[in-house]
Amino acid sequence: MLVSALLAVSLLAGLSSAGGGAGNGVNDVAPEDVIAEEVTEDDIATWTVLVYLVADNNLDEYTETDLLELELGGSSEDVNVLILMDKLYEPAVMMTIQDHKRVVLEELGELNMGDQATMEMFLQYAADGFPAEHMVLFFWDHGSGVHGVACDETMPDGTISEDWLSHHELIGALDGRHMDIMAADECSIGQLETMYEYHANEVDMDYWVASENYIGWRGFSYDEILRRLIEDPDMGERALSLVIVEEFTEYFSVPPYQSEILTSQSVFDMSKVEALGAAVLKMAATMAGDMESYGAVISAAQMAAMNPWGARSAGQVDLGMFVQGILDGVEEDDPVAADCAAVLSAYSECIIGMGVCKNNEMFGYTGMGILVPPSYSMYTVASAGSYELYMGFEFPNIGWWAFLESFWGVA
């Protein structure tokens, strides 16, 4: 259930002395002071690959594999690689890859990678010192569709305290910036409610690569992703997002299989999320209007669409399977049948690619999750902490939660 352990344009002579030294926290590093020399127009690369590597938790021991992959993949004049890494027993470092070697640019002391200010500093560092026409931002850590994209357990003051970089903090850090791709080397980000939240907050992003499932330990194959990008730096953001999931499938097609009952990664076209959300809400409204007729169909579809890892406790189902189950359970001329067909059409436009492990054909999952717990108390009591966060998202408040309450009989 845990997340997998997942050229600089110029090293800039004064870079290592900029900002705070070892032992300083993120608040000691002013983003505008991080880069010591101005980057010229000639220094702009085609791509900057950013890796937000959060191992200040129980994932610490898994970092080396992916760092070696990043080294092997390398960088070029067209492709920058910039990594912000915080491990459990070492100071956080800003590093790049040059000539297939790690180059530490700064030691930043103990950071809180769950703080929005840390992400803002990282993005500004990249914009100032590693500018590019396109950017892809990888998250390496635990993940949650509700809680966020990074969980740091060691604070700058030496205390042990779990702090998530929440989705709303990430949305705030991205304000005013364009991101071509964000890719989550972590669990459960690929939920409709999560994708819709980035749309609702008008985040300027083209593609999310994320999993609806819990994922295994091996994560993305950074070496192959970088190799293909360096070989073809002019590929667009859509093409690179598909490369990420293609290489994911290739990686997970060979042993050793490390607890990967079902692992997947999907590419979500963010320009299509609004239409998908609207179609889902229309279908939900139709069923909520006659729950006496649809209740049994919804229950059967919910059971058939559960994700195999921790599904009942999380309350998440595969959206595509859920809708198909409803469609299969009603007559062709039923009012909800047309709604289901519209959802599946919008779904196919939103999910443009999917990377899967060897077991996907057995389970048949289709790429995006949605919350459909079997009972009201299961989510509001058993998952009380998640419930409070979930209700801060846009999608449940514009119709989905009303549908769930109707289904549960508490509306």
Side-chain angles (χ1 to χ4, degrees), residues 340-385:
C340 290
V343 172
L344 294 174
S345 176
Y347 193 72
S348 66
E349 292 187 10
C350 184
I351 302 176
I352 64 167
M354 187 175 176
V356 299
C357 77
K358 68 185 184 73
N359 285 328
N360 194 67
E361 290 185 3
M362 181 190 309
F363 292 99
Y365 290 90
T366 62
M368 179 183 279
I370 194 168
L371 185 75
V372 189
S375 71
Y376 175 81
S377 61
M378 193 228 82
Y379 198 65
T380 58
V381 177
S383 303

Side-chain angles (χ1 to χ4, degrees), residues 231-265:
E231 288 178 353
D232 182 16
D234 292 326
M235 74 168 69
E237 55 269 29
R238 185 184 180 95
L240 179 57
S241 66
L242 293 171
V243 163
I244 294 170
V245 297
E246 286 169 10
E247 291 300 333
F248 186 89
T249 295
E250 181 68 22
Y251 198 22
F252 281 84
S253 66
V254 297
Y257 302 109
Q258 300 169 335
S259 71
E260 293 120 6
I261 295 175
L262 173 65
T263 297
S264 65
Q265 289 281 356

Side-chain angles (χ1 to χ4, degrees), residues 135-156:
M135 282 197 175
V136 52
L137 172 58
F138 287 97
F139 294 97
W140 186 107
D141 188 24
H142 294 295
S144 162
V146 172
H147 289 83
V149 296
C151 184
D152 195 319
E153 296 181 0
T154 306
M155 299 295 102

Side-chain angles (χ1 to χ4, degrees), residues 167-168 171-172 174-175 194-204 392-394:
H167 290 290
H168 291 113
I171 287 167
L174 292 167
D175 186 39
T194 311
M195 298 297 105
Y196 198 90
E197 195 66 11
Y198 285 84
H199 154 72
N201 285 276
E202 300 181 344
V203 174
D204 186 6
F393 282 51
E394 178 83 4

Side-chain angles (χ1 to χ4, degrees), residues 4-6 53-57 59-70 85-88 90 102 140 222:
S4 167
L6 248 24
L53 200 161
V54 186
D56 205 354
N57 47 45
L59 299 177
D60 178 78
E61 64 182 293
Y62 300 102
T63 57
E64 191 61 24
T65 297
D66 285 331
L67 288 172
L68 289 172
E69 287 181 353
L70 288 162
M85 179 177 71
D86 189 13
K87 297 189 68 179
L88 192 56
E90 300 174 16
R102 298 172 223 174
W140 186 107
Y222 294 99

